[in-house]
Amino acid sequence: MSAHHHHHELTGDGLVHAARAALEVAGEQWTDMRGDVYDALATEGKPASAYDIAEAVSKLRGKRVAANSVYRILDLFVRTNLARRVESANAYIANPHPGCRHDCIFLICEVCGKAVHIDDDKLTGALVEAAKAAGFADVRPVVELRGMCSDCTAGAE
C-alpha cells in the first residue's frame, strides 16, 4: 500500500459532474434540491454546517429551506462519498474527488476555519489495523488536526 494517495482535485463544473455521476452510480437520483445543496457545499470553501447550507439554498431558491432537509441530503452525500463530515466542527465539506473511497486526514485552521485534506493510506491503514487488533470491525478513521494555515500564519507575522 502506498503511503500517499494522490488525486487530481476537481473543481467547478467538473466536480459537479463527477458528484452527479457518483451519486447515480450509487443508485440515487440527482434532484434539483440535491444539486442546489451540493453547489452550496462545493462553493463554500470551508466546512459548512447544515444551517449555513440551508441559508445559502434558501437565498438561491427564494424560499426557506429547512435545515432538516439539508441534513438528510448531507447524510446521503456522506454515505455516497460526495462529502465528508468534519466531526469536530459538526460541518461538511465537498469531497474533491467523489467516488474515490479512502480515509482523509483533515487539517483545520483555528483562525479562518479553512479545511485541507491530505491522504496518507499508510497512516489511516495503521489506525484501522490497530482497531482490528483491539477487536473492532468496520472501522472508519476520523483524523482531524487543528492549527494555523499558511495564510493565517503569514498574516500573524
Side-chain angles (χ1 to χ4, degrees), residues 85-96:
R85 185 166 185 271
V86 180
E87 304 285 341
S88 64
N90 192 22
Y92 300 82
I93 191 165
N95 181 352

Side-chain angles (χ1 to χ4, degrees), residues 33 37 49-50 53-54 57 65-75:
M33 179 65 161
V37 168
S49 72
I53 299 298
V57 174
V65 173
N68 285 346
S69 298
V70 172
Y71 268 118
R72 282 192 294 275
I73 293 170
L74 290 170
D75 287 344

Side-chain angles (χ1 to χ4, degrees), residues 74-141:
L74 290 170
D75 287 344
L76 170 67
F77 289 170
V78 169
R79 278 195 317 274
T80 56
N81 208 35
L82 303 187
R84 299 282 186 171
R85 185 166 185 271
V86 180
E87 304 285 341
S88 64
N90 192 22
Y92 300 82
I93 191 165
N95 181 352
H97 36 85
C100 180
R101 294 213 175 265
H102 60 90
D103 300 307
C104 291
I105 300 166
F106 284 108
L107 307 174
I108 303 164
C109 181
E110 293 269 313
V111 177
C112 70
K114 173 181 167 182
V116 174
H117 89 269
I118 58 173
D119 303 317
D120 189 327
D121 295 331
K122 184 176 179 182
L123 176 61
T124 56
L127 293 171
V128 169
E129 290 305 315
K132 285 181 182 176
F136 281 75
D138 297 324
V139 175
R140 181 183 59 93

